[in-house]
Each structure stands twice: as structure tokens, then as C-alpha cells.
Amino acid sequence: MADHFFSLIINTDPCCMKILFTALLGLTAFATSGQILKGIINNSKQQAVPGAVIGLMNTTDTLFAVSNEQGRFDFIVKKKGVYRLQITCIGFSKLLLPNLVVAQDTTLNMLILKDETKNLANVTIEGTVPWVDRQLDKTIVNPARNINYEGATMLEVMQRLPGVQMTTEGQVSMAGHSGVNILIDGKPTYLSAGDLMALLAGMSASEIQRIEIMSNPSSKYEAPGTGGIINIIKKRNKKQGLNGNITAAAAQGDYRKYNGGASLNYKTEKYNIQINNTYTYSRIFDNRTVTSDILDAGNSLVTKQRSNTDAVSSTSTYRPSLGLDVFLSKKTTFSLNGTAGFDHSDNQMISNMRLLDSTLSPSGYVNFRSQLKDVPFSYSVGLQLSHLLDTAGQSFTVNVDHSQYRNDPLQNNLNTTNDALHNLISESDVLLLQHRRLDIYSFKSDYVGPLKTNATFEAGIKSSYVNAHNDNTYYDRVNGQNLINLPLSNYSLNSENINAVYVNLNKSFKKMTLQIGVRAEQTVTKGKQLLSGESVNQNYLQLFPTVFASYKLNDQNILTARFGRRIERAAYRELVPFRRPQTATLYFEGNPYLRPHLSYHAELAWAFQNTFFITLGYDLDKDYIQTFPYLDSNRITITRRPTNIQGAYSWNIDLAYVKKIINCWSIDYTGSVFQNGFDGQAAGFSLDNNGIPSVYLTANNSFTITSSLLAQADLEYNSKRQVANSTFGAYTILNIGIKHLLFNHQASISLNARNILNSEGQYVINRNRGLYQYSYLNFYTRALTLNFSYRLGSGKSVKTRMDPGSAEEKKRVGN
């Protein structure tokens, strides 16, 4: 019976057709849970085997799990008894434990899979990898399990992650907490918010294996990230022999967008080589209207500026990558990875402003035209040596990495000013020539050693050096000549050296898991303005402790507590005091005197049967970094400048409900209530406020209509929220999609509609001394996307049908 179910393919369920697009909310009875069963899967070379499908069965129950990158898996087994454990993975022979007794919490160390060479074309496994997998220490998002992510860029995926918000400037927050650190394959990007947006916009979602979201990561992760960490893990093929994948997508909204990619992997017993190529092109239109009230000391209106701005951005990206693993022995692997990025962008803006006096009578008009072109280039190279010391799991790794980002944006701005009768008063023609280069060097080594009585010791060191060059030259174009304007130009050199060491101890008891760690980071920064000769240097040592504890109250309830201290350092472009024009009267200028933002974070979470989750969180912050608009001394222009706020706090209550309602319908619903409060002042303007309670809701519905026809309907709502002196309006997004599997599940074609209500627009209100600013942002992201994917191979692969959203059967605990 178990074998029959293990190869069963789900047939058509007529009820799905009735509820496909109408069921967005629902509750149902809870299941039961019980003993913890976990294990580690290795190959014959003592290397971890990720992606193995583990089935645990008896006469009444069947559970499934998938091993992670460390080869680990875990279940919560709801009934004691004798089970049959079956492990199947691409390129390996099936491992069977026919009489496994589960009477208490059990750990299976070093389950060894042997290489398999026979054709597995007809094997089908009913796996259960959900779109969102909530574990005790992190949330894992599998983009491939959500139809609405197909054909999307990584930026579009980031904007739709559960519990994650992103502003138009690229600032990422989770449950209202800013300062989220974005990692790619566990490595920090060191990019500003705008540059990070450009990087993610050129990355296809088809490149991504999974996304890890951690609100309070352990000490082995770098300390930056006061709002938590989002770790983007790229795909790395583990299949034996020759395999690959081809994807292509085209989208039609106000403009067309398309992307495509191809990957090829060849693996033998001695080496594994993988080649990836992706290309993306997008053309985006957005509109914003801004009303700026210039006020006197008594907050009476002096002048009013009303502007309407249209912007069109075109971006293309080609990103090749190469990965090579050499198996030096059964216990030692040498890896080489390289990625390059060739981008091209062309951004055009037209802004028309109307000037009004205190009686709201027209006093003048300002027209602004801007074109910014850039051809950024980036590359990264990484070496890794990993060695398994014994069969108990003792290992160490050494990594050496280098990355470089270069871009040379050329911006031309034409500005004309007219009086109330449209007579020309003045005009200016400005050319901005910018050269930016960011070099990153890093070395790290990590050790993992199992201890007696279910304990693990981890330790590591890391040293990184970053060098940032920013050369910004300002030219006035007069009578066809480019005349350099030195007072408005800037040439900055910034460097940062961080040396870190950490220790981490994990201990499992009968009902409790405890993790204690501490990380020490020494930071040395140097900043110099070459034109003015001004320097700003910092040298400080900080400790970052973390504590994680989970306690199983009974077979149905688990409590988890987390505590940690983290830091957020300013992006390098935020430290450069170059006043960059954005419209006729709006500028952005970096602040070289920014201090690092420090945060203490605490959480208490309750999980009921791994189906219902409640999390309570509280943060205390010092020197919170926020960008504010400041009215300049001429009382006409406005400069946005990052600023430290002396004190801040926030609280959040998060709810999540995951359930397979019926055989064809799975849900993942989340809700968050949060509030940010601040205590401080900026340039004499008080920022003291308790904020307002805000609400974030998502409803994700996955439907299995037949074994080869799937559908998805997702709804997201963000209420009004306040951050210091800025208020952001509410917005709603609805996405739907359908996917059909072809050619014995080797290919798929999907059609999805994003933001079908075109309801993503929102208002923003900014307040500061002498300034009240109201903006409305219109984002024209509504689009229809057609996506095709084809998996290449010689039939030597196990076809794993994964039921999106059905996390109920996995009952994972997390390591």
C-alpha cells in the first residue's frame, strides 16, 4: 500500500474548479503531531546530499521531507510505532529502512546513499515541498513553487516575499523593521539600496533555488541586518550525468518585458561543472505627483510647489556564470564559482512644476528634462575548500572571494524657469559624469564539530576589505562648452575593514533545543574627500550575542524564544556628500558622518502542530538611519539626506496559518500588526512620536486541478504605516496564475497576471522643519506574463511532484 501511494499521481478533482478563484480565506481542523525524527544524508564520499526526498510510512500515516543543503531533514511524527523509511534522490540508489522504531525523539546520523547508474525515467515521487516552509529558526521561500513568480525578476520576487516590504528607493523592511541585509549565496552585497535594486532587477527568478528569511539569525552570520537577513540561494545542479534547463518568458503591460536563460550541468565521480546564462530586458513607466508646502516659522504657507513627473526606464542585463566542483577525495571538495554582469540602462524623466504664492496664485513654472545612461559591469569569483574530518559530521570550510562593481553613469539635465506669464527667466544645461568602483575582498573559515549528547560546536573567522571610489564631476554646459564646476563636484575614497570571529553552541535535550553564540567584529573605516581634503575615520569593536531556545510543551505545541544584537552600517553611496539632482528642486546628498545603527531584537513564538504560528517581537534601536527631506536655505530646493535618529523602538505580532484544506487546495495565510516609535530630532525638528499600528496581510492559495494542471491566486494588503516623520499609504496587490506540465513533466508553460487591479499606487507624506510634502506614486506594474520552461536530461532523473503550499505533511522542526 505504501509503495503504491509513493508512486501515485493525483487525478482530477472536480471540486477545485468551483473554488479556484473564490476561496481566499478559510479555516479547518488541525492535525496532530508528536516525536521528532531527524537525520543526515551523505553520499559515499561523505558529502552532504541535498534535495533527497524522504518518505516515512506505516499502515495509516505517510510523511515526506526534503533534505537541505547540509543533507539534513526532520519530521514531527504524530504516532509512536514501527515505520518504513525510504530515501530517494537523483543519481543515487534508493535507501530503505523497513523497520524503524519511533518511540521517542530520534536522530539518524550519516545515512549513506550509493551512486545509481540505471535509468530512472519512470520513477515518480509524491514530494511535499511547499512554497513557504516555516521552520523554527527561519522561513524558507521556494520561488519555483509559486506560479505567479514564473517569468519574474528577483526584484519582483523580493517585493512579494511574505512579511517583506520594499520602498520605491529600494529600502527593505520586515514587519516594519528596516535595515534588512540581503545576502546572495550567504555573501553580503555591500550595495546601496538603488544599486541593489538594479542587481536584483537583472536576476531572473528561475536562477533561484530558495530564499531564506531570518528575523534573528545566529552568530555564524555577519552582524549587519538590524531588521534581519534575506539570503538568496542560487540553483546548483546536483544531478549525475548531463542535465540542464531552458526558460523563456515574455510580459506585456504598459511596455513589454522579457527574459530567458539556459543552464547546463555535467557531473561525474571526479568533477561537477555547471554553466548558466540569463538575459533580462524590461521597460517600466511610473508617474508621481508631488505637492511641497514651504512654511514659515509659524507653519503658515509661504509658497507651494506642484509637480508632475513621468519616468521611463529601460534596462537589459546579460549574466553568465560558471561553477566547478573537483572531488579531490571522498572527504575533500574544491569549488570555483564565477559570475559576470553586463548591463545597459537608459532612464528618461520629464517633470513639470507649477509655483504658487501664499494666496495660491501662480508665480512661475519650472520644467525639468533628464536622461541618464549607464553601462554597469560586475563580476565575482569565489574559491572554496571543504573537508569532512570524520563520519560523525566534523568538517571545516575555507572561502576566498573577490567581487567588483563598476558603473559610469552619464546624466544630462536641462532646466528652464518661467514667470507667471510664461516668460523665460533662466535656463541651465548640466552634465554629470560619474565613475564608481567597488572592490570587495574576503576570507573566511568555518568549523563544525559534533559533541556528545546531541550537541554541536561551530566556530569561524572572517576578514573582509572593501574599497569604494566615487568620482562625481559636475559640468555647466555653456555655448556648447563643458565647464567644470568644482564646488558642486566630489571625489570620495572610502574603505572598510571588518575582522570577525564567532562561536556557536547547539544542544538538544529531550524537549528542548538551545543555541547560544557570540560574534565579535572589529570595524575600521576611512573616508576622504579628495577635493576638500576632509577625512572621517572610525575604529570600533562590537559584540553581538544571540540566544535561541525552543521547548516542546507537548505533542502539539512548541514555544520558541530568540534574542540578538545586530548592526546596520550605512551603504557607501550614503556616505558620499555629492549633491545629486533628481528633479528641478529635489536633490540627494550623502552624509559622511553617519553612525552605525545598533539594534536589540527579541521574539517569542508559538507553533501549534506546525500549522498555526504566532510570533511576538520587540526591538530597541540606537542611531536609527532614515533618509529625510530637508528644506535648503534658499527655501526653494529640497535635499534628501540620510540621518541618524537617536532612539527608536518597534513591536510586532505575526500570525501564520498553513493548511491543505482539501486534496486540491492548499493555503498559506499570514498577518502582521506592527508599530514603530521614535525619540530624537533632526536639524532641530522633533521626531518624537509613537507611530501608528499598521497591518500587513497575505493570502496565498495553491490549487492542484489535475496532476499536470496547477493554479495560484495571491492577495497582498499593506495598510497605512508611519516611519519617523514619513507616512506611507495603503495598497493592495492581486496576482493569479495557471500552469500546465508537459512532456511527462519535463516542461511547463504558465500564464500569470500580476497586479490585475492595478492597485499598487500609494501616497507618501513627509514632514520636516518648514516643509510639508505630499506625494502620490503610480506604479504601472500590471502585466500578463507567458513563461515556458524545459528540463534537459537523458531521462536519468527522478520526477518529483511537489504539492505547493502543503506544508502540513512535513511537520518540520528545523536544525
Side-chain angles (χ1 to χ4, degrees), residues 268-293:
T268 70
E269 293 184 355
K270 295 184 178 181
Y271 63 89
N272 179 26
I273 185 169
Q274 181 167 338
I275 300 174
N276 290 298
N277 288 274
T278 61
Y279 178 81
T280 64
Y281 172 81
S282 65
R283 187 173 174 85
I284 301 172
F285 171 74
D286 65 72
N287 165 268
R288 67 180 61 198
T289 58
V290 181
T291 300
S292 300
D293 291 347

Short mmCIF file of all heavy atoms in Angstrom, two decimals, residues 268-293:
data_model
loop_
_atom_site.label_atom_id
_atom_site.label_comp_id
_atom_site.label_asym_id
_atom_site.label_seq_id
_atom_site.Cartn_x
_atom_site.Cartn_y
_atom_site.Cartn_z
N THR A 268 30.36 14.00 -12.84
CA THR A 268 30.91 12.65 -12.78
C THR A 268 31.38 12.40 -11.34
O THR A 268 31.16 13.23 -10.46
CB THR A 268 32.10 12.51 -13.74
OG1 THR A 268 33.21 13.27 -13.25
CG2 THR A 268 31.74 12.98 -15.14
N GLU A 269 32.02 11.30 -11.13
CA GLU A 269 32.55 11.00 -9.80
C GLU A 269 33.75 11.88 -9.45
O GLU A 269 34.12 11.96 -8.27
CB GLU A 269 32.95 9.53 -9.70
CG GLU A 269 31.78 8.56 -9.78
CD GLU A 269 32.22 7.13 -9.58
OE1 GLU A 269 33.45 6.91 -9.48
OE2 GLU A 269 31.36 6.25 -9.52
N LYS A 270 34.36 12.52 -10.44
CA LYS A 270 35.56 13.31 -10.19
C LYS A 270 35.31 14.82 -10.22
O LYS A 270 36.06 15.57 -9.59
CB LYS A 270 36.64 12.96 -11.21
CG LYS A 270 37.15 11.53 -11.10
CD LYS A 270 38.28 11.27 -12.08
CE LYS A 270 38.83 9.84 -11.92
NZ LYS A 270 39.95 9.58 -12.86
N TYR A 271 34.31 15.25 -10.95
CA TYR A 271 34.07 16.69 -11.02
C TYR A 271 32.61 16.97 -11.36
O TYR A 271 31.86 16.10 -11.82
CB TYR A 271 34.99 17.35 -12.05
CG TYR A 271 34.77 16.89 -13.47
CD1 TYR A 271 33.84 17.53 -14.29
CD2 TYR A 271 35.50 15.83 -14.00
CE1 TYR A 271 33.63 17.10 -15.59
CE2 TYR A 271 35.29 15.39 -15.29
CZ TYR A 271 34.36 16.04 -16.09
OH TYR A 271 34.14 15.61 -17.37
N ASN A 272 32.23 18.22 -11.15
CA ASN A 272 30.88 18.70 -11.46
C ASN A 272 31.03 20.10 -12.03
O ASN A 272 31.59 20.99 -11.39
CB ASN A 272 30.02 18.72 -10.19
CG ASN A 272 28.62 19.24 -10.46
OD1 ASN A 272 28.12 19.13 -11.58
ND2 ASN A 272 28.00 19.82 -9.45
N ILE A 273 30.56 20.33 -13.26
CA ILE A 273 30.68 21.62 -13.90
C ILE A 273 29.30 22.12 -14.30
O ILE A 273 28.46 21.36 -14.77
CB ILE A 273 31.62 21.57 -15.14
CG1 ILE A 273 31.83 22.97 -15.71
CG2 ILE A 273 31.10 20.60 -16.19
CD1 ILE A 273 32.93 23.05 -16.74
N GLN A 274 29.07 23.41 -14.06
CA GLN A 274 27.76 23.99 -14.36
C GLN A 274 27.95 25.34 -15.02
O GLN A 274 28.75 26.17 -14.58
CB GLN A 274 26.93 24.14 -13.08
CG GLN A 274 25.54 24.73 -13.34
CD GLN A 274 24.63 24.59 -12.15
OE1 GLN A 274 24.85 23.74 -11.29
NE2 GLN A 274 23.59 25.40 -12.09
N ILE A 275 27.20 25.58 -16.10
CA ILE A 275 27.25 26.84 -16.84
C ILE A 275 25.84 27.40 -16.90
O ILE A 275 24.89 26.68 -17.24
CB ILE A 275 27.79 26.63 -18.27
CG1 ILE A 275 29.20 26.04 -18.22
CG2 ILE A 275 27.79 27.93 -19.04
CD1 ILE A 275 29.74 25.66 -19.59
N ASN A 276 25.70 28.68 -16.56
CA ASN A 276 24.40 29.35 -16.59
C ASN A 276 24.50 30.63 -17.40
O ASN A 276 25.51 31.34 -17.33
CB ASN A 276 23.92 29.70 -15.18
CG ASN A 276 23.52 28.48 -14.39
OD1 ASN A 276 22.62 27.76 -14.76
ND2 ASN A 276 24.22 28.24 -13.29
N ASN A 277 23.46 30.94 -18.13
CA ASN A 277 23.36 32.20 -18.86
C ASN A 277 21.94 32.72 -18.74
O ASN A 277 20.98 31.97 -19.00
CB ASN A 277 23.71 32.02 -20.34
CG ASN A 277 25.19 31.78 -20.57
OD1 ASN A 277 25.97 32.72 -20.67
ND2 ASN A 277 25.58 30.50 -20.62
N THR A 278 21.78 33.98 -18.35
CA THR A 278 20.46 34.58 -18.28
C THR A 278 20.48 35.96 -18.93
O THR A 278 21.51 36.66 -18.91
CB THR A 278 19.97 34.73 -16.82
OG1 THR A 278 20.88 35.58 -16.09
CG2 THR A 278 19.88 33.38 -16.14
N TYR A 279 19.34 36.33 -19.49
CA TYR A 279 19.20 37.65 -20.10
C TYR A 279 17.83 38.21 -19.71
O TYR A 279 16.82 37.49 -19.75
CB TYR A 279 19.30 37.56 -21.63
CG TYR A 279 19.10 38.89 -22.31
CD1 TYR A 279 20.15 39.81 -22.40
CD2 TYR A 279 17.85 39.25 -22.83
CE1 TYR A 279 19.96 41.04 -23.01
CE2 TYR A 279 17.66 40.48 -23.44
CZ TYR A 279 18.71 41.38 -23.53
OH TYR A 279 18.53 42.60 -24.13
N THR A 280 17.80 39.46 -19.32
CA THR A 280 16.54 40.11 -18.98
C THR A 280 16.47 41.47 -19.66
O THR A 280 17.49 42.15 -19.83
CB THR A 280 16.39 40.31 -17.45
OG1 THR A 280 17.40 41.22 -16.99
CG2 THR A 280 16.50 39.00 -16.71
N TYR A 281 15.27 41.85 -20.03
CA TYR A 281 15.02 43.19 -20.57
C TYR A 281 13.69 43.68 -20.01
O TYR A 281 12.69 42.94 -19.98
CB TYR A 281 14.95 43.18 -22.10
CG TYR A 281 14.50 44.52 -22.65
CD1 TYR A 281 15.41 45.56 -22.80
CD2 TYR A 281 13.16 44.75 -22.98
CE1 TYR A 281 15.00 46.80 -23.27
CE2 TYR A 281 12.75 45.99 -23.46
CZ TYR A 281 13.67 47.02 -23.60
OH TYR A 281 13.27 48.24 -24.06
N SER A 282 13.69 44.93 -19.56
CA SER A 282 12.44 45.50 -19.03
C SER A 282 12.37 46.97 -19.39
O SER A 282 13.40 47.66 -19.48
CB SER A 282 12.36 45.32 -17.51
OG SER A 282 13.36 46.06 -16.86
N ARG A 283 11.17 47.42 -19.59
CA ARG A 283 10.90 48.84 -19.83
C ARG A 283 9.73 49.20 -18.92
O ARG A 283 8.64 48.60 -19.03
CB ARG A 283 10.57 49.08 -21.30
CG ARG A 283 10.42 50.55 -21.69
CD ARG A 283 10.28 50.67 -23.20
NE ARG A 283 10.00 52.02 -23.64
CZ ARG A 283 10.93 52.95 -23.86
NH1 ARG A 283 12.20 52.65 -23.68
NH2 ARG A 283 10.60 54.16 -24.28
N ILE A 284 9.94 50.15 -18.03
CA ILE A 284 9.00 50.44 -16.97
C ILE A 284 8.61 51.91 -17.00
O ILE A 284 9.46 52.79 -17.21
CB ILE A 284 9.60 50.09 -15.59
CG1 ILE A 284 9.96 48.61 -15.54
CG2 ILE A 284 8.63 50.42 -14.46
CD1 ILE A 284 10.73 48.22 -14.30
N PHE A 285 7.34 52.17 -16.78
CA PHE A 285 6.83 53.54 -16.70
C PHE A 285 6.25 53.77 -15.31
O PHE A 285 5.55 52.91 -14.76
CB PHE A 285 5.74 53.77 -17.75
CG PHE A 285 5.02 55.09 -17.60
CD1 PHE A 285 5.65 56.28 -17.95
CD2 PHE A 285 3.74 55.15 -17.09
CE1 PHE A 285 5.00 57.49 -17.80
CE2 PHE A 285 3.07 56.35 -16.94
CZ PHE A 285 3.71 57.53 -17.30
N ASP A 286 6.57 54.91 -14.72
CA ASP A 286 5.92 55.29 -13.47
C ASP A 286 5.69 56.80 -13.46
O ASP A 286 6.34 57.55 -14.19
CB ASP A 286 6.72 54.85 -12.24
CG ASP A 286 8.07 55.52 -12.12
OD1 ASP A 286 8.10 56.72 -11.79
OD2 ASP A 286 9.10 54.84 -12.34
N ASN A 287 4.75 57.20 -12.63
CA ASN A 287 4.36 58.60 -12.55
C ASN A 287 4.22 58.98 -11.08
O ASN A 287 3.76 58.18 -10.27
CB ASN A 287 3.04 58.83 -13.29
CG ASN A 287 2.39 60.16 -12.95
OD1 ASN A 287 1.58 60.23 -12.03
ND2 ASN A 287 2.76 61.20 -13.66
N ARG A 288 4.64 60.20 -10.77
CA ARG A 288 4.43 60.69 -9.41
C ARG A 288 4.05 62.16 -9.44
O ARG A 288 4.55 62.94 -10.26
CB ARG A 288 5.66 60.47 -8.54
CG ARG A 288 6.89 61.26 -8.90
CD ARG A 288 8.03 60.93 -7.95
NE ARG A 288 8.39 59.53 -8.02
CZ ARG A 288 9.10 58.89 -7.09
NH1 ARG A 288 9.51 59.55 -6.02
NH2 ARG A 288 9.40 57.62 -7.22
N THR A 289 3.12 62.51 -8.57
CA THR A 289 2.75 63.91 -8.38
C THR A 289 3.18 64.30 -6.97
O THR A 289 2.97 63.54 -6.01
CB THR A 289 1.24 64.12 -8.55
OG1 THR A 289 0.54 63.28 -7.62
CG2 THR A 289 0.80 63.76 -9.96
N VAL A 290 3.79 65.47 -6.85
CA VAL A 290 4.32 65.93 -5.57
C VAL A 290 3.85 67.35 -5.31
O VAL A 290 3.96 68.23 -6.19
CB VAL A 290 5.86 65.88 -5.55
CG1 VAL A 290 6.39 66.34 -4.19
CG2 VAL A 290 6.37 64.49 -5.87
N THR A 291 3.32 67.57 -4.11
CA THR A 291 2.96 68.91 -3.65
C THR A 291 3.79 69.22 -2.42
O THR A 291 3.71 68.52 -1.41
CB THR A 291 1.47 69.01 -3.31
OG1 THR A 291 0.70 68.71 -4.48
CG2 THR A 291 1.12 70.40 -2.83
N SER A 292 4.63 70.27 -2.51
CA SER A 292 5.50 70.66 -1.41
C SER A 292 5.06 72.04 -0.90
O SER A 292 5.08 73.02 -1.65
CB SER A 292 6.96 70.73 -1.87
OG SER A 292 7.39 69.47 -2.34
N ASP A 293 4.68 72.08 0.38
CA ASP A 293 4.31 73.34 1.02
C ASP A 293 5.53 73.88 1.77
O ASP A 293 6.05 73.22 2.68
CB ASP A 293 3.16 73.14 2.01
CG ASP A 293 1.85 72.81 1.30
OD1 ASP A 293 1.79 72.99 0.07
OD2 ASP A 293 0.91 72.36 1.97
#
